[in-house]
Amino acid sequence: MQHTVVMTGASRGIGRIAAEHVLRRSPGVHLLVVVRGSQGARLAAELSEGEHTVSHVPADLGSLESVKSAAAEIRERLEHGDLPPLRGFVGNAGMQYTNALTEGPDGFESTFAINVLANHLFVRLLQDRFVTPARIVITASDTHLGDFKHNMGMVPGPAWKSPDVLARPGAFPKPDTAAAGRTAYSTSKLAAIYLVHEYARRLPAGIDAVAYNPGFVPGTGLARNAGPVARFAMRRILPLMALTPCATGRGAAGRYLADVVLGTTSAPSGSYVDRARAARSSEESYDPRRESELWDAAERFTAAYAA
Protein backbone atom coordinates (compact mmCIF):
# COMPACT_ATOMS: atom_id res chain seq x y z
CA MET A 1 0.00 0.00 0.00
CA GLN A 2 1.35 3.42 -0.91
CA HIS A 3 1.93 5.76 2.01
CA THR A 4 3.85 8.91 2.91
CA VAL A 5 6.78 9.24 5.28
CA VAL A 6 7.88 12.79 6.17
CA MET A 7 11.56 13.13 7.04
CA THR A 8 13.81 15.93 8.25
CA GLY A 9 17.59 15.67 8.14
CA ALA A 10 17.67 13.55 4.97
CA SER A 11 20.16 15.63 3.03
CA ARG A 12 23.36 14.30 4.57
CA GLY A 13 24.92 11.84 7.01
CA ILE A 14 22.88 9.05 8.50
CA GLY A 15 19.63 10.64 7.33
CA ARG A 16 20.64 10.45 3.68
CA ILE A 17 21.67 6.81 4.06
CA ALA A 18 18.46 5.98 5.94
CA ALA A 19 16.35 7.65 3.24
CA GLU A 20 18.02 5.55 0.54
CA HIS A 21 17.41 2.36 2.55
CA VAL A 22 13.75 3.22 3.18
CA LEU A 23 13.12 3.84 -0.51
CA ARG A 24 14.94 0.74 -1.64
CA ARG A 25 13.33 -1.59 0.88
CA SER A 26 9.80 -0.18 0.82
CA PRO A 27 8.73 0.54 -2.78
CA GLY A 28 5.32 1.82 -1.65
CA VAL A 29 6.80 4.76 0.26
CA HIS A 30 6.39 8.31 -0.93
CA LEU A 31 9.24 10.01 0.91
CA LEU A 32 8.64 13.69 1.58
CA VAL A 33 11.85 15.40 2.66
CA VAL A 34 11.82 18.65 4.61
CA VAL A 35 14.84 20.64 3.51
CA ARG A 36 16.07 24.16 4.12
CA GLY A 37 16.33 26.61 1.24
CA SER A 38 16.72 25.57 -2.37
CA GLN A 39 18.32 22.18 -1.72
CA GLY A 40 15.02 20.28 -1.68
CA ALA A 41 14.49 19.90 -5.41
CA ARG A 42 18.00 18.59 -5.96
CA LEU A 43 17.79 16.16 -3.03
CA ALA A 44 14.39 14.87 -4.18
CA ALA A 45 15.74 14.36 -7.69
CA GLU A 46 18.79 12.47 -6.42
CA LEU A 47 16.73 10.23 -4.13
CA SER A 48 14.17 9.62 -6.88
CA GLU A 49 16.72 7.84 -9.09
CA GLY A 50 15.63 4.27 -9.64
CA GLU A 51 11.94 5.21 -9.94
CA HIS A 52 11.50 6.01 -6.25
CA THR A 53 8.82 8.53 -5.29
CA VAL A 54 10.25 11.54 -3.49
CA SER A 55 9.04 15.10 -3.07
CA HIS A 56 10.04 17.99 -0.83
CA VAL A 57 8.84 20.98 1.16
CA PRO A 58 11.12 23.82 2.27
CA ALA A 59 11.54 24.71 5.94
CA ASP A 60 14.01 26.35 8.26
CA LEU A 61 13.67 24.21 11.37
CA GLY A 62 15.01 27.02 13.52
CA SER A 63 11.87 29.02 12.72
CA LEU A 64 8.56 27.77 14.09
CA GLU A 65 6.73 29.93 11.56
CA SER A 66 8.60 28.09 8.79
CA VAL A 67 7.76 24.72 10.36
CA LYS A 68 4.11 25.77 10.49
CA SER A 69 4.16 26.67 6.79
CA ALA A 70 5.77 23.35 5.87
CA ALA A 71 3.24 21.38 7.90
CA ALA A 72 0.37 23.37 6.32
CA GLU A 73 1.66 22.49 2.84
CA ILE A 74 1.92 18.80 3.79
CA ARG A 75 -1.62 18.82 5.19
CA GLU A 76 -2.96 20.49 2.05
CA ARG A 77 -1.28 17.95 -0.21
CA LEU A 78 -2.65 15.10 1.89
CA GLU A 79 -6.17 16.53 1.87
CA HIS A 80 -6.13 17.05 -1.91
CA GLY A 81 -4.85 13.54 -2.55
CA ASP A 82 -1.51 14.72 -3.92
CA LEU A 83 0.17 12.54 -1.29
CA PRO A 84 -0.82 9.03 -0.23
CA PRO A 85 -1.88 8.50 3.41
CA LEU A 86 0.59 9.66 6.06
CA ARG A 87 2.10 6.84 8.07
CA GLY A 88 5.43 8.14 9.27
CA PHE A 89 7.36 11.14 10.57
CA VAL A 90 11.13 10.99 11.07
CA GLY A 91 12.60 13.88 13.06
CA ASN A 92 16.25 13.23 12.25
CA ALA A 93 17.56 16.77 11.82
CA GLY A 94 19.69 18.02 14.69
CA MET A 95 22.05 20.87 15.47
CA GLN A 96 24.89 21.51 17.89
CA TYR A 97 26.24 25.03 18.32
CA THR A 98 29.52 26.33 19.70
CA ASN A 99 27.68 28.28 22.39
CA ALA A 100 24.37 28.39 24.22
CA LEU A 101 23.54 31.91 23.11
CA THR A 102 22.35 31.41 19.53
CA GLU A 103 18.82 32.74 19.27
CA GLY A 104 16.32 31.90 16.55
CA PRO A 105 13.73 34.24 15.06
CA ASP A 106 11.11 33.20 17.63
CA GLY A 107 13.33 34.08 20.60
CA PHE A 108 14.15 30.47 21.51
CA GLU A 109 17.67 29.12 21.91
CA SER A 110 18.41 27.51 18.56
CA THR A 111 19.51 24.07 19.79
CA PHE A 112 16.27 23.70 21.73
CA ALA A 113 14.20 25.11 18.86
CA ILE A 114 15.59 22.72 16.24
CA ASN A 115 16.12 19.57 18.32
CA VAL A 116 12.94 19.79 20.40
CA LEU A 117 10.32 22.34 19.37
CA ALA A 118 10.44 21.81 15.59
CA ASN A 119 9.77 18.09 16.00
CA HIS A 120 7.00 18.75 18.51
CA LEU A 121 5.26 21.25 16.26
CA PHE A 122 5.44 18.89 13.27
CA VAL A 123 3.98 16.04 15.34
CA ARG A 124 1.14 18.15 16.69
CA LEU A 125 0.25 19.77 13.36
CA LEU A 126 0.25 16.44 11.51
CA GLN A 127 -1.20 14.29 14.30
CA ASP A 128 -4.75 14.14 12.95
CA ARG A 129 -3.52 13.28 9.44
CA PHE A 130 -1.80 10.03 10.41
CA VAL A 131 -3.41 6.82 9.19
CA THR A 132 -2.71 3.89 11.47
CA PRO A 133 -0.54 1.98 11.86
CA ALA A 134 1.85 4.93 11.92
CA ARG A 135 5.26 5.55 13.45
CA ILE A 136 7.04 8.66 14.68
CA VAL A 137 10.82 8.34 15.04
CA ILE A 138 12.88 11.03 16.77
CA THR A 139 16.66 10.79 16.59
CA ALA A 140 18.10 11.03 20.09
CA SER A 141 21.70 10.61 21.25
CA ASP A 142 23.63 8.67 23.84
CA THR A 143 25.11 11.99 24.96
CA HIS A 144 22.03 12.13 27.20
CA LEU A 145 23.69 9.43 29.33
CA GLY A 146 26.43 11.90 30.22
CA ASP A 147 29.20 9.39 30.96
CA PHE A 148 32.66 8.67 29.56
CA LYS A 149 31.60 5.26 28.25
CA HIS A 150 29.14 6.75 25.79
CA ASN A 151 30.86 9.95 24.64
CA MET A 152 34.50 9.62 25.76
CA GLY A 153 34.28 12.91 27.59
CA MET A 154 33.73 14.93 24.41
CA VAL A 155 30.22 16.11 25.30
CA PRO A 156 29.14 17.13 28.81
CA GLY A 157 26.09 15.37 30.16
CA PRO A 158 22.70 17.06 30.25
CA ALA A 159 22.00 19.71 32.87
CA TRP A 160 18.23 19.72 33.24
CA LYS A 161 16.46 22.93 34.22
CA SER A 162 12.96 24.28 33.90
CA PRO A 163 11.90 24.19 30.21
CA ASP A 164 11.31 27.94 30.42
CA VAL A 165 15.03 28.32 31.15
CA LEU A 166 16.23 25.70 28.66
CA ALA A 167 14.24 27.26 25.83
CA ARG A 168 16.04 30.61 26.10
CA PRO A 169 19.64 31.61 25.36
CA GLY A 170 22.11 31.52 28.24
CA ALA A 171 20.69 28.53 30.12
CA PHE A 172 24.10 27.09 31.08
CA PRO A 173 27.23 28.41 32.82
CA LYS A 174 29.69 30.26 30.57
CA PRO A 175 27.09 30.31 27.79
CA ASP A 176 29.51 31.69 25.20
CA THR A 177 31.68 28.55 25.29
CA ALA A 178 31.66 25.36 23.24
CA ALA A 179 31.10 23.38 26.45
CA ALA A 180 27.82 25.23 27.00
CA GLY A 181 26.81 24.56 23.42
CA ARG A 182 27.47 20.85 23.85
CA THR A 183 25.56 20.83 27.13
CA ALA A 184 22.63 22.43 25.32
CA TYR A 185 22.86 19.62 22.78
CA SER A 186 22.92 16.73 25.26
CA THR A 187 20.12 18.35 27.26
CA SER A 188 18.00 18.77 24.13
CA LYS A 189 18.43 15.07 23.38
CA LEU A 190 17.25 14.19 26.89
CA ALA A 191 14.24 16.42 26.21
CA ALA A 192 13.55 14.52 22.99
CA ILE A 193 13.33 11.25 24.94
CA TYR A 194 11.01 12.84 27.48
CA LEU A 195 8.66 13.92 24.69
CA VAL A 196 8.73 10.47 23.07
CA HIS A 197 7.49 9.05 26.38
CA GLU A 198 4.72 11.65 26.39
CA TYR A 199 3.78 10.89 22.78
CA ALA A 200 3.45 7.23 23.70
CA ARG A 201 1.04 8.20 26.47
CA ARG A 202 -0.96 10.87 24.66
CA LEU A 203 -1.15 10.05 20.96
CA PRO A 204 -4.05 7.95 19.67
CA ALA A 205 -3.67 4.18 19.58
CA GLY A 206 -1.87 3.02 16.47
CA ILE A 207 0.53 5.98 16.33
CA ASP A 208 3.77 4.73 17.86
CA ALA A 209 6.62 7.00 18.92
CA VAL A 210 10.21 5.78 19.22
CA ALA A 211 13.50 7.46 20.11
CA TYR A 212 16.47 6.26 18.05
CA ASN A 213 20.08 6.51 19.21
CA PRO A 214 22.69 6.03 16.46
CA GLY A 215 25.57 6.09 18.93
CA PHE A 216 28.63 8.23 18.30
CA VAL A 217 28.78 8.69 14.51
CA PRO A 218 31.88 10.66 13.42
CA GLY A 219 31.99 12.26 10.01
CA THR A 220 28.45 13.67 9.97
CA GLY A 221 27.49 17.33 9.56
CA LEU A 222 26.62 17.77 13.23
CA ALA A 223 29.80 19.75 13.96
CA ARG A 224 29.46 22.06 10.96
CA ASN A 225 29.20 25.10 13.25
CA ALA A 226 32.35 24.14 15.16
CA GLY A 227 35.77 25.68 14.66
CA PRO A 228 38.14 24.52 11.90
CA VAL A 229 40.13 22.16 14.12
CA ALA A 230 37.03 20.39 15.43
CA ARG A 231 35.56 20.15 11.91
CA PHE A 232 38.80 18.66 10.60
CA ALA A 233 38.89 16.11 13.43
CA MET A 234 35.28 15.10 12.83
CA ARG A 235 35.83 14.70 9.09
CA ARG A 236 39.29 13.16 8.93
CA ILE A 237 40.37 11.66 12.24
CA LEU A 238 37.38 10.55 14.30
CA PRO A 239 35.84 8.48 11.45
CA LEU A 240 38.64 5.97 12.11
CA MET A 241 36.91 5.24 15.41
CA ALA A 242 34.09 3.59 13.47
CA LEU A 243 36.48 0.67 13.12
CA THR A 244 36.24 0.19 16.90
CA PRO A 245 33.29 -0.59 19.22
CA CYS A 246 33.43 3.02 20.44
CA ALA A 247 31.65 4.46 17.40
CA THR A 248 29.12 3.65 14.69
CA GLY A 249 29.86 4.08 11.01
CA ARG A 250 27.50 6.26 9.00
CA GLY A 251 26.40 3.34 6.86
CA ALA A 252 25.43 1.21 9.84
CA ALA A 253 23.77 4.11 11.66
CA GLY A 254 21.69 4.97 8.61
CA ARG A 255 20.66 1.36 8.13
CA TYR A 256 19.66 1.06 11.78
CA LEU A 257 17.54 4.22 11.46
CA ALA A 258 15.80 2.78 8.41
CA ASP A 259 15.12 -0.42 10.38
CA VAL A 260 13.35 1.62 13.06
CA VAL A 261 11.36 3.65 10.53
CA LEU A 262 10.23 0.53 8.67
CA GLY A 263 9.43 -1.40 11.85
CA THR A 264 12.07 -4.05 11.18
CA THR A 265 13.47 -3.37 14.64
CA SER A 266 10.93 -4.47 17.23
CA ALA A 267 10.18 -1.48 19.44
CA PRO A 268 6.85 -0.75 21.16
CA SER A 269 5.70 2.84 21.47
CA GLY A 270 7.81 4.84 23.90
CA SER A 271 10.91 2.74 23.25
CA TYR A 272 14.50 3.91 23.09
CA VAL A 273 16.30 2.04 20.33
CA ASP A 274 20.06 1.88 20.78
CA ARG A 275 21.25 1.22 17.23
CA ALA A 276 19.79 -2.22 16.45
CA ARG A 277 17.77 -3.02 19.55
CA ALA A 278 15.37 -1.58 22.07
CA ALA A 279 17.15 -0.79 25.33
CA ARG A 280 16.84 1.33 28.44
CA SER A 281 17.95 4.91 28.19
CA SER A 282 19.49 6.67 31.20
CA GLU A 283 17.80 6.47 34.57
CA GLU A 284 17.38 10.24 34.39
CA SER A 285 15.36 9.90 31.19
CA TYR A 286 12.47 8.21 33.03
CA ASP A 287 10.90 11.05 34.95
CA PRO A 288 7.13 11.50 34.51
CA ARG A 289 7.16 14.85 36.30
CA ARG A 290 9.75 16.32 33.95
CA GLU A 291 8.04 14.73 30.95
CA SER A 292 4.70 16.29 31.82
CA GLU A 293 6.31 19.64 32.56
CA LEU A 294 8.13 19.60 29.22
CA TRP A 295 4.96 18.62 27.35
CA ASP A 296 3.06 21.53 28.89
CA ALA A 297 5.88 23.93 28.08
CA ALA A 298 6.26 22.71 24.49
CA GLU A 299 2.52 23.11 24.01
CA ARG A 300 2.74 26.64 25.37
CA PHE A 301 5.80 27.58 23.30
CA THR A 302 4.24 26.33 20.05
CA ALA A 303 0.61 27.38 20.70
CA ALA A 304 0.85 30.49 18.53
CA TYR A 305 2.00 28.36 15.59
CA ALA A 306 -0.37 25.43 16.11
CA ALA A 307 -3.57 27.48 15.82
Side-chain angles (χ1 to χ4, degrees):
M1 175 183 175
Q2 280 225 328
H3 61 278
T4 298
V5 173
V6 175
M7 184 174 186
T8 71
S11 62
R12 67 181 80 197
I14 69 173
R16 175 63 178 262
I17 294 166
E20 293 169 352
H21 274 279
V22 167
L23 290 165
R24 187 163 57 247
R25 291 160 52 187
S26 185
V29 165
H30 181 127
L31 184 66
L32 193 156
V33 292
V34 180
V35 185
R36 183 175 183 174
S38 60
Q39 303 174 49
R42 183 179 64 189
L43 176 62
E46 291 172 357
L47 291 172
S48 295
E49 292 179 3
E51 300 185 354
H52 302 304
T53 307
V54 184
S55 60
H56 68 96
V57 294
D60 174 1
L61 299 181
S63 162
L64 295 182
E65 187 63 43
S66 182
V67 171
K68 176 183 179 179
S69 296
E73 181 176 339
I74 295 168
R75 289 180 59 88
E76 183 176 1
R77 291 174 62 183
L78 287 165
E79 289 163 5
H80 290 167
D82 298 330
L83 292 171
L86 178 63
R87 283 195 162 169
F89 173 77
V90 186
N92 177 64
M95 185 60 73
Q96 178 179 302
Y97 289 89
T98 55
N99 59 63
L101 292 172
T102 306
E103 183 175 326
D106 309 298
F108 298 110
E109 192 276 321
S110 292
T111 313
F112 193 86
I114 294 170
N115 296 358
V116 182
L117 295 181
N119 286 330
H120 185 71
L121 187 56
F122 263 125
V123 168
R124 298 295 277 152
L125 289 175
L126 297 177
Q127 177 181 323
D128 66 332
R129 303 305 305 169
F130 282 108
V131 174
T132 59
R135 172 163 282 200
I136 294 163
V137 180
I138 306 297
T139 298
S141 167
D142 55 10
T143 59
H144 87 279
L145 289 141
D147 57 17
F148 186 86
K149 175 183 175 182
H150 291 91
N151 62 49
M152 292 159 284
M154 292 186 289
V155 180
W160 191 258
K161 303 175 186 292
S162 162
D164 287 278
V165 175
L166 295 175
R168 305 298 176 180
F172 306 102
K174 299 181 180 178
D176 59 334
T177 64
R182 295 185 186 120
T183 303
Y185 177 79
S186 62
T187 306
S188 75
K189 292 303 184 176
L190 176 61
I193 297 172
Y194 285 151
L195 283 179
V196 164
H197 293 164
E198 283 295 295
Y199 296 149
R201 294 186 186 103
R202 295 174 183 260
L203 294 180
I207 305 177
D208 292 346
V210 177
Y212 164 68
N213 168 41
F216 173 56
V217 186
T220 68
L222 184 63
R224 56 188 176 275
N225 284 325
V229 174
R231 291 201 306 271
F232 177 82
M234 283 293 288
R235 285 198 311 267
R236 303 296 184 186
I237 299 172
L238 294 180
L240 297 175
M241 294 180 62
L243 303 175
T244 76
C246 297
T248 312
R250 281 183 294 175
R255 185 176 71 252
Y256 293 148
L257 175 55
D259 289 342
V260 179
V261 174
L262 295 173
T264 305
T265 299
S266 177
S269 191
S271 293
Y272 172 82
V273 175
D274 182 12
R275 283 157 280 203
R277 63 184 182 85
R280 277 189 68 82
S281 47
S282 69
E283 291 304 315
E284 185 181 12
S285 70
Y286 298 94
D287 189 322
R289 182 188 61 80
R290 287 184 182 178
E291 291 162 4
S292 178
E293 180 185 36
L294 178 60
W295 171 276
D296 291 343
E299 290 285 280
R300 180 161 35 88
F301 297 151
T302 60
Y305 310 92

